[in-house]
């Protein structure tokens, strides 16, 4: 539970707690030893998620970080590189795992609002480099882009990056922790997004509201290899159908309602932009995340976060002048009204 005094928790979409229906599904789950491939609920989740994303096979993982790092591991290795956005979760928020576990080096591109520009990405790519330079083995994309404020990668850009990289044998991994949100916001199918890349990770524990879990999908051969690496990293799990059941329940019952989170985030952003013009570009609030640039009104993020906290709203100081607020299953219209009132009081400059 959030700390005392928190009435509306917008810290992250990971703060949700399982619903009564989800808990029942967990309690009723049929289970077995998944290390031996004998958990029917895990297998069902893996197969359903793979099919949804247009891939052959899936692998249930305890975290999105592990699913991403297995994806990176499959396509690269010591002395080869991944290229990604400078604010990519795989490089900024997974504690250097690609370098630590897999000896992978990285270079980054910068973007406007997190949207990958094909010319920039393909210009950075250096496959089959000479004896002195590191060869690019993988392009990693994030959709939606967390630290850029939940922005969506335009489909045409994804297609152009795929088309430009494939002839060079450069693989693509998609960090789709919130691909669900991109799908609901754009109407582009999960399979269409999945078809653009070699591997995808999706989180069940973000806005969908499961307590834990991510799924990595890809080819049958790739997932067999990822399964070995997952066990090697110490994440071979046993009767985790209990957790997979929560994930299946989330996809069945909580996917369409992500549209409500998007509408509430947009409504909040409009109100914030009204009281403090320039603090947020409302058109960039495409999904469930609002990123406030409080530097525009000469304020520090920590101070603004404290102002919201005084009014019962918890949010996150993402950078010295950036405040992030994230909508999810446990925040309704009334909670959004409270957040808007807190924004009016906190951001108002006489
Ligand atoms: C949350 C998140 C992940 C996975 O995080 P875990 O805490 O390891 O589950 C990966 N990528 C992005 C963009 C995320 O927001």
């Amino acid at each position: 539970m959030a700390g005392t005094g928190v009435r509306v928790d917008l810290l992250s979409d990971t703060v949700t707690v399982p619903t009564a229906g989800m808990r029942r599904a967990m309690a009723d789950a049929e289970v077995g030893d998944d290390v031996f491939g004998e958990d029917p609920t895990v297998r069902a989740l893996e197969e359903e998620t793979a099919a949804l994303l247009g891939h052959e096979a899936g692998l249930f993982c305890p975290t999105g970080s592990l699913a991403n790092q297995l994806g990176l591991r499959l396509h690269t290795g010591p002395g080869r590189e991944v290229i990604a956005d400078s604010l990519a979760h795989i490089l900024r928020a997974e504690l250097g795992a690609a370098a630590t576990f897999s000896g992978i080096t990285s270079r980054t591109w910068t973007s406007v609002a997190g949207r990958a520009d094909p010319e920039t990405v393909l210009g950075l790519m250096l496959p089959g480099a000479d004896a002195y330079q590191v060869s690019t083995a993988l392009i990693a994309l994030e959709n939606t882009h967390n630290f850029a404020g939940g922005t969506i990668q335009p489909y045409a850009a994804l297609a152009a990056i795929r088309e430009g990289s494939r002839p060079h044998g450069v693989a693509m991994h998609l960090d789709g922790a919130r691909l669900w949100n991109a799908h609901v916001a754009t109407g582009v199918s999960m399979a269409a997004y999945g078809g653009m890349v070699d591997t995808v990770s999706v989180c069940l524990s973000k806005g969908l509201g499961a307590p834990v879990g991510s799924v990595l999908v890809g080819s049958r051969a790739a997932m067999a290899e990822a399964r070995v690496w997952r066990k090697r990293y110490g994440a071979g799990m046993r009767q985790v159908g209990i957790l997979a059941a929560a994930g299946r329940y989330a996809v069945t019952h909580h996917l369409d309602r992500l549209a409500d989170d998007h509408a509430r985030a947009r409504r909040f952003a409009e109100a914030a932009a009204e009281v403090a013009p320039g603090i947020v570009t409302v058109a960039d609030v495409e999904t469930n995340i609002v990123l406030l640039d409080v530097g525009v009104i000469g304020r520090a993020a920590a101070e603004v976060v404290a102002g919201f906290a005084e009014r019962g709203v918890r949010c996150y100081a993402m950078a010295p002048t950036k405040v992030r607020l994230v909508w999810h299953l446990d925040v309704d219209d009334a909670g959004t009204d409270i957040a808007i009132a807190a924004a009016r009081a906190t951001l108002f400059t006489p």
Side-chain angles (χ1 to χ4, degrees), residues 208-231:
L208 288 184
V212 63
S214 282
V215 183
L216 177 71
V217 306
S219 70
R220 217 170 285 292
M223 289 309 101
E225 194 184 338
R227 194 172 292 274
V228 173
W229 279 103
R230 185 187 64 173
K231 187 79 173 83

Side-chain angles (χ1 to χ4, degrees), residues 12-14 62-68 87-90 93-94 142-147 175-178 201 203 205-206 213-214 289 324:
S12 172
D13 45 8
T14 57
T63 66
S65 296
L66 181 62
N68 279 334
L87 295 176
H89 193 281
I90 58 156
E94 296 179 14
E142 190 172 314
N143 198 12
T144 66
H145 195 306
N146 180 350
F147 299 142
D175 176 352
R178 295 186 184 80
S201 67
C203 281
S205 56
K206 298 281 165 77
S214 282
I289 300 178
R324 190 190 70 174

